[in-house]
């Protein structure tokens, strides 16, 4: 550690430096000039002026060596305070006191404290028994007496009455004037009293003034200095307002206490106190420079802990603690910045690095007026550094972020404007460096730099766009840089749309054309990955309306080119384009104009491609078959839903007037390239391909605002109901059921809603009674039930009861059990809050209250072969229930959850394990009652054929270690042996969880665990 507050330039190693013997402190740090102090001799301080006569900084009296009189009235006063007669101590207490004081035995102190805590003695009786020892003329005897009292108070301070605390405080303050041998025990007693919640107002200030006046802290051993810091810390935590009432006197008093400290253990506490002084707005008064000096004399830290150090203090602990102090207030700037500039030029690498990192921390706090005068010399210093570019960039990044916060009247000067060329050069150099971390900092700095007006010239912008283009196509091993480059492109494109339209979009368009030819030639995976990254880059920069008008046609044209049939397109290729379109749609949601542009441009194009693909032809192209696959249609559903949710009601009404007639009447007039070989009639005997496109209708109408009127609604609902129970295409029937449910959920209450519900119930009952349509009818029941549960409709309870009755059905029972997962989960395509569905805020809690008792009752009454269905349904409900709701019911439901772990169904096992894992941490007392069953079942499931179940079981074994240690220790050998097996599992993720769980069980019960 740099000198300035001690003779050596290093913090002494833990060992001799941390010894207990008193030492002569080096001179007053405030009257000295360290290596880095170049401002001359600090101004003289008047002690009486600082605190006032008798204050914290009054001249210390010469320690007395004769005993101070201890009036026997202390006993009487404490007795009066407790409204008791002074009761004579028992013979046993006299004996314990005598053994400790005169016999020099340590054990009696703990015994006396234990007896006081148990009520055998009172503190008053202990004081009475110690009376002669406390006023003995021999200092060592007085020290032993006070030491015993202090040890008792440390353990029994919570038992003291307020008046007892007052008189003990006065006694201990008086003892601070005693012989130096007595002082350590007095300080320990004051530390105990500083913890009393009954401490009256004003006494904290009195104690600290007495310490500041009577004790030369730096002449004490390390442990006693630490006690003083603890007293100050305790009072700052509990008596903040009282201490603030001292004003700057408290700050100066602490400066005197800390001045000359050189023990690492104490310095960590002292640095924390200084940080709290500043961060909690204690008055520093005229002592800002003195407070800076007493802490900055340790900068830069140069400390190496000794081998096998039991205290565990590392150099970084001291560095970070001191840095937090130095960077905590702009008031240090005029003193700190010259010091940091000097240390940046140091030949010691660690000093350079520490200085740059401290500058970085300061940039988050300092303002323009603190930094601007030092910028030229600061820039000159950091420009000479070539080995710390990352740290320098992080510092500049912090400064740029700070500049963004400066008030508008300060922005005229722009301190960095004079260095913008050098800044850009530094950033561009980092972007071309092979070091990934340096590239990441460079990208972040470029983003913030670009947000500052006039710091990037047109030439700089062109270079920046070129770098971002290159970084957007990095390989997988540099994915973090690629993702950061895409984010930066989106941010900067919002600010500089012309630059990105001119320099980036044309390059991406060219790349996309090359990608089409590569796909046509079926080139390798490298070309396909570049194609994917190009799509990602196009969507990333679509953050400005003018850019969207260029990128959206490119993406749609690319999709149309793939539909020509001359490109061998895999489903993943089409899905990638749809995902890019969805990301563009998400960005357009922020701007109504862009949202409408995207909707009226993209939706007709996607519908036209899908309708074309659904038409019967003699020879289907590969692409057209791909467009009708489930996962491709699901990707298109996401695009259409995202493009619809943020439409204004007026624009949504325009769109719905075109799209609903397309599906009901085959009106294709609004579609581009609408020349099809036959009519589009998905509901009237349409082909299987046409029926599948009802999913796209669902995406649109179920994302509309609730106040948008849907034309031909009665016909549409009836058509959807019919299609939902058709055989031959589960995808189409499910899409129709979901669409019907989504419209039901938003429909206002009234006669029409009741009619739709009656039609649905009749359809469900008819279908469940018919063997051919049972599966489709069940799916319709499930989705209609969910639509009504979400909006608290009265009919939901009847439909839930019907669903619960199907748990005993031999064919539909397992599906019904899985249906409870759907009822409790959030959907992504329909019945979502984003899609304006009617979703009540506590529907899960209400569903739990209304239905779990019936599930439990049904489980107990059910035949053995269908009990697993009830367990699965219950497990799904509990797994998705907010844990605060579940915890009060846990004692009654836990036995069923444990039984569910024995169910052979992997879905039940996984759902139950997911439910139990957080409960092991949140309800350890309840779970501890079943620890034997939990250990057995978790270990059994750690050998499950399902990898997901094995992982979840091992995670639960890990979470078990949060239960009380005494409960777990009997199982420790068994668990450690059993967890050796999954260490050899063939799956890496399983082995990882096994290592983590076994390690925690190994540490169970060990010291410090």
């Amino acid at each position: 550690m740099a000198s300035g507050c001690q003779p050596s330039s290093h913090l002494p190693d833990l060992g001799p430096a941390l010894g207990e013997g008193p030492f002569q402190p080096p001179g007053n740090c405030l009257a000295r000039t360290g290596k880095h102090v170049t401002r001359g001799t600090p101004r003289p301080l008047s002690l009486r002026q600082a605190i006032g006569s008798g204050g914290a900084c009054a001249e210390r009296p010469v320690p007395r060596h004769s005993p101070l009189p201890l009036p026997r009235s202390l006993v009487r006063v404490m007795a009066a305070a407790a409204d008791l007669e002074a009761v004579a101590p028992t013979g046993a207490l006299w004996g314990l006191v005598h053994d400790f004081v005169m016999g020099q035995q340590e054990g009696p102190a703990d015994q006396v404290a234990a007896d006081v805590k148990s009520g055998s003695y009172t503190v008053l009786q202990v004081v009475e028994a110690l009376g002669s020892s406390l006023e003995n003329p021999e200092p060592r005897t007085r020290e032993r007496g006070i030491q015993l009292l202090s040890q008792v108070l440390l353990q029994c301070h919570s038992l003291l009455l307020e008046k007892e605390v007052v008189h003990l405080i006065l006694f201990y303050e008086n003892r601070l004037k005693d012989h130096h041998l007595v002082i350590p025990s007095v300080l320990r007693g004051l530390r105990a009293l500083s913890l009393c919640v009954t401490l009256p107002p004003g006494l904290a200030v009195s104690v600290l003034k007495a310490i500041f006046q009577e004790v030369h802290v730096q002449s004490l051993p390390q442990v006693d200095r630490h006690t003083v810091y603890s007293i100050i810390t305790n009072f700052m935590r509990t008596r903040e307002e009282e201490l603030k009432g001292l004003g700057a006197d408290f700050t100066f008093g602490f400066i005197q206490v800390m001045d000359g400290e050189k023990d690492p253990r104490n310095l960590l506490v002292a640095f924390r106190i200084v940080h709290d002084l500043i961060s909690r707005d204690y008055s520093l008064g005229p002592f800002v420079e003195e407070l800076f000096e007493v802490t900055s004399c340790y900068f830069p830290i140069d400390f190496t802990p000794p081998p096998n150090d039991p205290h565990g203090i590392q150099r970084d602990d001291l560095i970070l603690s001191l840095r937090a102090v130095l960077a905590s207030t702009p008031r240090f700037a005029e003193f700190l910045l010259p010091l940091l500039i000097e240390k940046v030029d140091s030949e010691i690498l660690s000093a350079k690095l520490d200085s740059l990192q401290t500058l970085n921390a300061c940039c988050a706090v300092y303002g323009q007026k603190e930094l601007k005068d030092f910028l030229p010399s600061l820039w000159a210093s950091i420009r000479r550094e070539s080995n710390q570019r990352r740290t320098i960039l992080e510092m500049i990044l912090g400064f740029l972020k700070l500049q963004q916060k400066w008030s508008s009247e300060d922005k005229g000067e722009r301190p960095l404007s004079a260095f913008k060329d050098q800044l850009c050069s530094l950033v561009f150099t980092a972007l071309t460096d092979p070091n990934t971390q340096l590239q990441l900092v460079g990208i972040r700095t470029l983003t913030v730099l670009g947000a500052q007006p006039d710091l990037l010239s047109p030439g700089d912008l062109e270079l920046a766009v070129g770098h971002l283009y290159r970084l957007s196509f990095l390989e997988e091993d540099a994915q973090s840089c690629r993702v950061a480059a895409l984010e930066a492109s989106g941010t900067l494109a919002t600010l500089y749309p012309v630059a990105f339209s001119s320099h980036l979009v044309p390059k991406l368009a060219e790349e996309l054309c090359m990608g089409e030819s590569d796909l046509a030639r079926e080139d390798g995976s490298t070309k396909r990955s570049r194609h994917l990254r190009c799509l990602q880059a196009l969507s990333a920069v679509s953050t400005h309306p003018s850019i969207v008008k260029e990128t959206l046609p490119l993406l749609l044209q690319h999709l149309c080119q793939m539909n020509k049939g001359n490109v061998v397109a895999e489903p993943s290729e089409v899905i990638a384009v749809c995902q890019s379109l969805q990301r563009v749609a998400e960005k357009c949601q922020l701007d109504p104009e862009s949202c409408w542009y995207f909707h009226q441009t993209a939706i007709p194009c996607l519908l036209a491609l899908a309708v074309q693909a659904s038409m019967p032809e003699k020879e289907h192209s590969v692409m057209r078959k791909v467009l009708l696959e489930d996962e491709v249609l699901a990707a298109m559903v996401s695009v259409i839903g995202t493009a619809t949710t943020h439409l204004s009601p007026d624009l949504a009404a325009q769109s719905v007037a075109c799209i609903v007639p397309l599906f009901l009447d085959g009106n294709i007039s609004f579609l581009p390239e609408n020349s099809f070989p036959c009519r589009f009639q998905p509901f009237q005997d349409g082909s299987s391909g046409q029926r599948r496109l009802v999913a796209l209708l669902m995406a649109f109408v179920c994302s509309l605002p609730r106040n948008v009127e849907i034309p031909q609604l009665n016909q549409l609902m009836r058509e959807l109901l019919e299609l939902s129970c058709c055989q031959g295409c589960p995808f189409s029937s499910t899409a129709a059921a979901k669409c019907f449910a989504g419209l039901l959920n938003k429909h206002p209450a009234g006669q029409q809603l009741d009619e739709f519900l009656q039609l649905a119930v009749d359809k469900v009952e008819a279908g469940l009674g018919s063997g051919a349509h049972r599966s489709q009818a069940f799916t319709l029941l499930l989705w209609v039930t969910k639509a009504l549960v979400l909006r608290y409709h009265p009919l939901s309870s009847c439909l839930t009861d019907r669903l619960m009755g199907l748990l005993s059905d031999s064919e539909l029972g397992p599906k019904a059990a899985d249906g409870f997962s759907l009822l409790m989960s959030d959907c992504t395509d329909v019945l979502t809050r984003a899609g304006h569905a009617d979703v009540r805020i506590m529907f899960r809690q209400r569903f739990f209250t209304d239905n779990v008792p019936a599930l439990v009752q049904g489980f107990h009454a059910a035949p053995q072969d269908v009990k697993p269905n009830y367990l699965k349904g219950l497990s799904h409900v509990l797994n998705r229930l907010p844990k605060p709701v579940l915890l009060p019911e846990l004692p009654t439901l836990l036995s069923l959850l444990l039984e569910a772990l024995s169910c052979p169904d992997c879905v039940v096992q996984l759902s139950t394990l997911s439910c139990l894992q957080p409960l092991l941490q949140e309800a350890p007392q309840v779970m501890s009652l079943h620890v034997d069953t939990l250990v057995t079942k978790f270990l059994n499931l750690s050998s499950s054929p399902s990898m997901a179940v094995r992982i979840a079981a091992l995670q639960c074994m890990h979470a078990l270690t949060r239960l009380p240690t005494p409960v777990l220790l009997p199982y420790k050998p068994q668990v450690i042996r059993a967890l050796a097996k999954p260490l050899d599992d063939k799956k890496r993720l399983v082995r990882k969880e096994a290592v983590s769980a076994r390690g925690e069980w190994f540490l169970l019960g060990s010291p410090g665990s």
Side-chain angles (χ1 to χ4, degrees):
M1 185 175 294
S3 65
C5 201
Q6 58 190 70
S8 162
S9 63
H10 294 259
L11 255 180
D13 287 345
L14 295 172
L18 306 187
E20 300 302 320
F23 61 91
Q24 288 296 322
N28 190 331
C29 194
L30 304 183
R32 232 181 15 261
T33 303
K35 282 184 180 178
H36 61 268
V37 180
T38 58
R39 294 177 297 281
T41 306
R43 61 183 181 275
L45 299 172
S46 168
L47 298 178
R48 291 191 179 275
Q49 182 183 6
I51 298 295
S53 60
C57 296
E59 296 182 11
R60 302 183 180 90
V62 177
R64 302 177 184 179
H65 296 282
S66 58
L68 294 167
L70 172 68
R72 299 285 291 178
S73 60
L74 176 61
V75 178
R76 292 195 300 273
V77 168
M78 290 187 62
D83 295 326
L84 298 170
E85 291 294 328
V87 180
T90 65
L93 178 56
W94 280 111
L96 290 170
V97 170
H98 182 271
D99 289 344
F100 183 88
V101 176
M102 308 306 295
Q104 300 294 310
Q105 299 177 26
E106 302 300 326
D110 290 332
Q111 183 61 51
V112 172
D115 291 342
V116 172
K117 283 195 288 188
S118 68
S120 301
Y121 313 130
T122 65
V123 174
L124 174 61
Q125 289 175 306
V126 176
V127 173
E128 174 69 15
L130 283 168
S132 60
S133 304
L134 298 178
E135 61 182 0
N136 193 288
E138 173 57 43
R140 294 190 182 278
T141 303
R142 294 202 305 279
E143 189 275 333
R144 290 291 289 179
I146 295 175
Q147 182 183 349
L148 176 59
L149 178 59
S150 297
Q151 288 187 231
V152 170
L153 293 178
L154 278 169
Q155 298 187 51
C156 307
H157 59 81
S158 61
L159 304 176
L160 294 172
L161 300 175
E162 181 177 309
K163 291 182 179 179
E164 292 176 327
V165 174
V166 171
H167 296 292
L168 284 168
I169 289 280
L170 294 176
F171 164 70
Y172 273 103
E173 285 182 0
N174 181 273
R175 291 295 107 181
L176 287 174
K177 303 174 183 178
D178 206 337
H179 192 279
H180 68 87
L181 289 175
V182 177
I183 301 303
S185 295
V186 174
L187 291 172
R188 284 194 284 274
L190 288 171
R191 175 172 168 251
L193 294 170
S194 73
L195 296 168
C196 290
V197 295
T198 55
L199 185 76
L203 287 190
V205 170
S206 177
V207 169
L208 291 180
K209 280 187 174 183
I211 291 174
F212 294 160
Q213 177 176 348
E214 306 295 345
V215 183
H216 186 209
V217 175
Q218 288 305 317
S219 66
L220 298 173
Q222 177 272 328
V223 66
D224 300 324
R225 303 199 305 276
H226 194 279
T227 301
V228 174
Y229 294 129
S230 298
I231 294 170
I232 295 172
T233 300
N234 292 339
F235 284 147
M236 289 181 71
R237 184 175 65 250
T238 61
R239 309 285 164 164
E240 181 174 314
E241 292 307 315
E242 292 180 37
L243 301 191
K244 286 182 176 178
L246 274 173
D249 293 355
F250 175 59
T251 300
F252 190 83
F254 175 73
I255 291 171
Q256 294 292 90
V257 167
M258 181 183 174
D259 186 12
E261 182 59 66
K262 58 181 181 180
D263 187 276
R265 291 166 289 184
N266 291 349
L267 282 173
L268 283 177
V269 183
F271 290 156
R272 194 177 309 123
I273 292 173
V274 177
H275 186 270
D276 288 344
L277 280 173
I278 296 168
S279 62
R280 296 181 185 177
D281 294 322
Y282 283 78
S283 174
L284 305 186
F287 305 120
V288 175
E289 184 175 2
E290 284 71 26
L291 187 62
F292 172 76
E293 290 291 345
V294 83
T295 51
S296 64
C297 61
Y298 300 98
F299 183 86
I301 299 288
D302 184 17
F303 165 67
T304 304
N308 304 317
D309 169 28
H311 306 289
I313 297 177
Q314 300 297 317
R315 179 173 175 268
D316 282 350
D317 299 329
L318 292 164
I319 288 175
L320 295 175
S321 188
L322 176 57
R323 184 177 299 153
V325 170
L326 297 178
S328 60
T329 172
R331 299 174 71 182
F332 282 171
E334 62 175 306
F335 315 118
L336 178 60
L337 290 175
L339 169 62
L340 294 179
I341 292 171
E342 177 187 337
K343 296 301 179 183
V344 166
D345 293 331
S346 168
E347 295 181 358
I348 303 173
L349 181 61
S350 60
K352 287 177 181 287
L353 185 60
D354 196 357
S355 300
L356 288 169
Q357 290 172 341
T358 304
L359 269 171
N360 187 17
C362 292
C363 283
V365 178
Y366 291 1
Q368 181 174 359
K369 66 179 182 179
E370 286 85 18
L371 288 169
K372 65 180 181 181
D373 292 338
F374 297 97
L375 276 178
S377 53
L378 180 59
W379 183 256
S381 294
I382 64 176
R383 281 292 291 165
R384 289 194 288 269
E385 292 301 315
S386 59
N387 297 323
Q388 302 296 333
R389 284 182 296 162
R390 179 183 170 188
T391 304
I392 292 171
L393 275 173
E394 287 175 343
M395 183 199 69
I396 293 172
L397 177 61
F399 183 80
L400 287 168
K401 288 180 178 178
L402 180 66
Q403 184 168 295
Q404 287 180 312
K405 301 176 184 176
W406 287 342
S407 60
S408 56
E409 60 267 20
D410 293 334
K411 289 184 178 179
E413 297 186 30
R414 297 276 172 203
L416 285 180
S417 298
F419 312 109
K420 62 180 183 179
D421 293 338
Q422 298 95 318
L423 273 174
C424 292
S425 175
L426 187 63
V427 170
F428 294 152
T429 302
L431 295 178
T432 56
D433 194 280
N435 184 292
T436 302
Q437 295 303 316
L438 189 57
Q439 287 181 347
L440 280 172
V441 180
I443 293 170
R444 286 161 44 209
T445 307
L446 175 62
T447 306
V448 181
L449 191 67
Q452 306 290 319
D454 305 323
L455 285 186
L456 290 180
S457 67
D460 293 331
L461 276 173
E462 185 174 352
L463 281 174
V465 169
H467 285 300
L468 292 174
Y469 172 78
R470 175 182 53 80
L471 293 169
S472 299
F473 287 88
L474 290 175
E475 298 302 321
E476 290 300 328
D477 56 353
Q479 184 174 1
S480 58
C481 278
R482 186 164 57 82
V483 171
L486 291 174
E487 292 178 358
S489 298
T491 302
L492 294 176
T494 307
L495 302 171
Y496 306 101
V498 175
F500 278 81
S501 293
S502 304
H503 304 301
L504 184 63
V505 174
K507 290 183 179 179
L508 293 175
E510 184 180 349
E511 184 74 35
L512 203 59
C513 292
M514 292 173 59
E516 291 170 4
S517 60
D518 293 335
L519 290 175
R521 293 195 302 269
E522 299 187 68
D523 278 10
S525 59
T526 302
K527 297 293 180 63
R528 290 181 179 271
S529 66
R530 281 191 67 85
H531 173 243
L532 176 62
R533 288 166 193 166
C534 181
L535 294 173
Q536 292 171 341
L538 278 169
S539 61
V541 298
S542 301
T543 54
H544 191 276
S546 64
I547 299 180
V548 171
K549 291 179 180 179
E550 296 184 40
T551 56
L552 180 58
L554 279 175
L555 290 168
L556 294 175
Q557 182 184 4
H558 180 57
L559 197 59
C560 293
Q561 289 297 324
M562 297 172 76
N563 191 41
K564 297 297 184 183
N566 56 355
V567 174
V568 181
E570 297 291 332
S572 60
E573 305 288 345
V574 184
I575 292 171
V577 180
C578 291
Q579 288 172 342
S580 291
L581 286 170
Q582 183 184 354
R583 286 191 288 269
V584 176
E586 289 171 352
K587 292 178 171 64
C588 290
Q589 289 176 344
L590 303 175
D591 177 59
E593 181 182 346
S594 295
C595 186
W596 177 237
Y597 171 76
F598 184 97
H599 186 88
Q600 67 177 353
T601 305
I603 304 306
C605 180
L606 292 176
L607 289 173
L609 288 173
V611 170
Q612 180 68 51
S614 71
M615 292 294 167
E617 291 186 3
K618 295 181 181 179
E619 295 183 2
H620 280 294
S621 71
V622 175
M623 173 62 183
R624 289 174 182 174
K625 291 180 181 177
V626 167
L627 279 177
L628 297 178
E629 293 193 13
D630 292 1
E631 60 267 32
V632 175
L633 285 173
M636 295 174 73
V637 162
S638 297
V639 178
I640 294 173
T642 305
T644 305
T645 55
H646 283 64
L647 286 181
S648 67
D650 292 342
L651 296 177
Q654 293 181 36
S655 191
V656 76
C658 297
I659 293 177
V660 170
L662 166 67
F663 283 85
L664 290 179
D665 307 326
N667 185 348
I668 59 173
S669 58
F670 78 102
L671 298 180
E673 300 182 14
N674 52 16
S675 175
F676 302 121
C678 63
R679 291 195 65 189
F680 178 63
Q681 295 178 313
F683 292 117
Q684 290 84 28
D685 301 323
S687 65
S688 172
Q690 291 190 7
R691 291 181 178 180
R692 296 173 71 82
L693 300 194
V694 170
L696 305 184
L697 172 66
M698 171 202 75
F700 173 71
V701 297
C702 292
S703 300
L704 291 169
R706 287 188 223 172
N707 57 352
V708 174
E709 183 178 349
I710 297 176
Q712 302 173 266
L713 179 62
N714 189 59
Q715 180 187 350
L716 177 61
M717 295 294 276
R718 292 174 183 273
E719 296 285 8
L720 289 170
L721 204 54
E722 287 299 322
L723 182 57
S724 67
C725 289
C726 283
Q727 287 181 287
C729 183
F731 182 89
S732 303
S733 58
T734 301
K738 290 163 73 173
C739 189
F740 183 84
L743 293 172
L744 269 185
N745 173 266
K746 294 183 186 181
H747 200 287
Q751 181 180 354
Q752 190 176 38
L753 176 63
D754 295 340
E755 291 175 359
F756 291 152
L757 287 173
Q758 189 60 54
L759 288 172
V761 170
D762 294 344
K763 196 73 172 176
V764 166
E765 292 301 333
L768 291 177
S770 166
H773 300 92
R774 295 197 78 207
S775 179
Q776 291 86 349
F778 168 76
T779 301
L780 177 62
L781 168 65
L782 190 59
W783 281 102
V784 171
T785 303
K786 182 172 180 67
L788 300 185
V789 165
L790 292 178
R791 64 180 283 177
Y792 291 176
H793 192 280
L795 186 60
S796 63
S797 57
C798 299
L799 297 182
T800 305
D801 291 342
R802 184 70 176 98
L803 183 65
M804 211 174 296
L806 291 174
L807 290 171
S808 300
D809 189 282
S810 57
E811 178 189 355
L812 296 177
K815 288 186 177 181
D818 285 329
F820 284 91
S821 174
L822 175 67
L823 294 181
M824 295 290 285
S825 302
D826 290 324
C827 299
T828 57
D829 48 3
V830 293
L831 299 175
T832 65
R833 288 187 173 92
H836 311 287
D838 187 356
V839 182
R840 301 299 174 91
I841 192 169
M842 297 181 71
F843 79 90
R844 291 183 179 86
Q845 290 88 323
R846 179 167 177 169
F847 188 87
F848 169 83
T849 304
D850 292 347
N851 297 291
V852 164
L855 273 174
V856 174
Q857 184 179 355
F859 167 80
H860 291 301
Q864 195 64 35
D865 59 331
V866 297
K867 281 183 181 291
N869 295 338
Y870 285 89
L871 285 177
K872 181 188 283 191
L874 180 65
S875 177
H876 285 316
V877 173
L878 299 183
N879 187 35
R880 287 164 176 81
L881 191 70
K883 294 303 176 281
V885 180
L886 175 58
L887 289 177
E889 307 295 332
L890 187 59
T892 58
L893 296 174
L894 187 55
S895 58
L896 287 177
L897 283 172
L898 295 177
E899 189 166 345
L901 291 177
S902 302
C903 181
D905 191 323
C906 288
V907 175
V908 179
Q909 294 171 355
L910 188 59
S911 177
T912 307
L913 289 169
S914 300
C915 180
L916 288 173
Q917 183 184 351
L919 295 177
L920 290 167
Q921 301 181 31
E922 297 172 19
Q925 299 305 320
V926 177
M927 305 298 279
S928 296
L929 302 175
H930 302 268
V931 65
D932 187 74
T933 305
L934 290 168
V935 169
T936 303
K937 291 186 179 292
F938 290 163
L939 288 178
N940 288 340
L941 291 175
S942 67
S943 302
S944 166
S946 166
M947 183 183 79
V949 172
R950 297 200 301 277
I951 289 174
L954 290 168
Q955 289 172 339
C956 286
M957 285 304 304
H958 190 164
L960 266 179
T961 59
R962 302 295 182 268
L963 300 188
T965 300
V967 175
L968 298 175
L969 281 177
Y971 302 93
K972 181 177 178 179
Q974 170 196 353
V975 170
I976 289 175
R977 286 195 303 270
L979 290 180
K981 180 180 177 183
L983 292 176
D984 296 325
D985 196 280
K986 59 184 179 181
K987 295 294 185 180
R988 181 184 63 82
L989 294 177
V990 177
R991 297 195 299 271
K992 177 184 175 183
E993 294 296 340
V995 168
S996 179
R998 197 165 187 253
E1000 286 297 318
W1001 278 87
F1002 260 119
L1003 294 174
L1004 198 67
S1006 60
S1009 64

